[in-house]
Amino acid sequence: MSAMMRPSTELSIRRYLDAPQVRPTALRIVLGTQLRRLRKERDISREDAGKAIRGSHAKITRLERGQVSCKERDLSDLLTLYKVLDEAERADYFELARQANTSGWWHQYNDVLEDWFELHIGLEEAASLIRTYEVQFLPGLLQTQEYARAVSRLGYPSASEDRLDRLVELRMKRQELLTRPDAPKVWAVVDEAAVRRPFGGREGMRAQLEHLLKVAELPNVTLQVAPFSVGANAAAGAPITILRFSEPDLPDKIYLEQLTGAIYLDKQDAVDQYTLIMDRLCAEADPPEETDAFLKKLLQQLV
């Protein structure tokens, strides 16, 4: 089949296979997006697709959202169901699935990594823009070791010191993306309460504020503080993270973390709603250029 006659889905997949810098989680989402497109083109329900792979409609949903890896047998059965019979095209799908199933660096922390948080780390790694709003704690990407340890101890009160060490190590490892060559842009809005709450004690908070001042100098990091004067109509009341990707086949993802789990949203109406909330928060929070003076004033109060 000539390049002029190859299906657009095949061309799209080949583009990702020829781009080794695309990370596994992104490839998993691309694969899911392509499978959803094929299913809809054939007018096949999630229930019928689930039966074809000896699963449920919920399993198809997770596959199509890139939340789980796709086994070769399941992929083969789905491609057959969707009438993708060309051997070269099928081979591209299998290769995409193989690369998507490659383990990320975070798998070495499986002993302390919650299943629901694993996807978020992969999304962070793949994102080109991370927008986050935090109410109670500072964003994990901006925390010091001491602050991260205090927060981890709060979340896991019965954890051993070794487990806390691993949790903090994982968080510090995540932060390496801020300074890598292709670092994503990070735009964080934090509630004033989060920068005033002294996790890690007085000295620990001093170190944390000094760290924020340093990180805010990075060209890819924008930090804003939402003062107490920002009304409840602008504040979301709960943390929000919006992840955007440079790959055109990857939809924006909304990450809503809860105490014992997380919700991931990618439907356009939900993305639009939370993007509007984030835009409003950014507009009503203190401008980024005032962050430095605000944090230095807090530091003076801790002397």
Side-chain angles (χ1 to χ4, degrees):
M1 184 183 296
S2 68
M4 292 294 292
M5 297 175 60
R6 293 171 69 188
S8 59
T9 53
E10 185 180 355
L11 290 172
S12 179
I13 289 176
R14 175 51 54 186
R15 176 164 58 82
Y16 289 105
L17 294 178
D18 293 339
Q21 75 277 9
V22 180
R23 292 172 170 79
T25 300
L27 294 177
R28 202 165 70 194
I29 298 173
V30 168
L31 177 61
T33 299
Q34 297 290 3
L35 290 176
R36 180 169 61 240
R37 182 179 301 167
L38 288 171
R39 179 179 61 79
K40 289 186 174 181
E41 286 176 353
R42 297 296 179 181
D43 195 26
I44 296 173
S45 69
R46 287 193 178 93
E47 288 76 11
D48 288 341
K51 292 177 183 177
I53 59 172
R54 301 150 297 281
S56 65
H57 67 91
K59 182 176 181 179
I60 295 297
T61 297
R62 291 193 295 271
L63 285 173
E64 293 182 351
R65 290 180 176 176
Q67 294 178 348
V68 294
S69 59
C70 189
K71 296 179 180 178
E72 184 174 336
R73 179 187 178 187
D74 290 344
L75 179 58
S76 178
D77 290 341
L78 286 175
L79 291 177
T80 300
L81 178 67
Y82 301 155
K83 307 300 182 184
V84 179
L85 305 177
D86 180 79
E87 289 301 322
E89 187 177 0
R90 289 173 69 94
D92 280 352
Y93 276 100
F94 288 130
E95 177 60 19
L96 181 64
R98 186 192 68 78
Q99 293 187 22
N101 292 340
T102 302
S103 296
W105 62 261
W106 52 91
H107 284 269
Q108 63 185 298
Y109 295 96
N110 279 344
D111 56 320
V112 296
L113 184 58
E114 303 284 358
D115 292 341
W116 52 266
F117 193 62
E118 179 182 347
L119 176 59
H120 180 62
I121 295 180
L123 292 173
E124 279 185 343
E125 286 285 313
S128 59
L129 172 63
I130 302 171
R131 300 180 69 186
T132 185
Y133 169 66
E134 287 288 348
V135 185
Q136 185 174 5
F137 309 112
L138 294 171
L141 291 175
L142 307 181
Q143 294 177 8
T144 63
Q145 289 190 38
E146 190 169 358
Y147 186 100
R149 190 175 190 84
V151 171
S152 297
R153 182 177 286 111
L154 184 66
Y156 300 91
S158 61
S160 65
E161 291 302 310
D162 288 343
R163 179 175 174 80
L164 290 175
D165 287 343
R166 293 283 286 165
L167 288 168
V168 172
E169 184 180 325
L170 169 61
R171 189 157 300 185
M172 295 303 104
K173 182 70 174 178
R174 281 173 58 203
Q175 296 179 6
E176 292 181 5
L177 66 81
L178 293 177
T179 54
R180 73 187 187 198
D182 60 338
K185 294 182 179 179
V186 177
W187 189 345
V189 179
V190 296
D191 192 87
E192 183 175 344
V195 293
R196 288 187 178 276
R197 190 171 288 115
F199 284 109
R202 193 178 187 87
E203 290 305 312
M205 199 61 195
R206 277 190 58 84
Q208 177 63 74
L209 293 176
E210 290 170 349
H211 179 68
L212 288 179
L213 285 167
K214 182 178 180 180
V215 173
E217 294 178 353
L218 293 173
N220 57 309
V221 174
T222 299
L223 178 61
Q224 290 180 264
V225 176
F228 292 134
S229 58
V230 172
N233 62 322
I240 302 170
T241 298
I242 304 175
L243 301 111
R244 179 162 294 172
F245 311 90
S246 57
E247 290 78 16
D249 292 311
L250 271 66
D252 290 357
K253 293 280 187 178
I254 307 297
Y255 171 73
L256 305 174
E257 186 172 325
Q258 301 172 335
L259 184 61
T260 58
I263 298 174
Y264 295 88
L265 306 173
D266 58 13
K267 290 186 177 180
Q268 194 58 53
D269 56 347
V271 171
D272 291 343
Q273 179 182 358
Y274 280 98
T275 299
L276 181 62
I277 292 173
M278 187 70 76
D279 289 343
R280 193 162 62 238
L281 283 163
C282 291
E284 296 197 15
D286 289 343
E289 56 268 21
E290 295 182 12
T291 299
D292 185 88
F294 184 88
L295 295 178
K296 287 180 177 178
K297 182 178 179 180
L298 289 182
L299 271 171
Q300 292 175 356
Q301 296 174 8
L302 290 173
V303 173

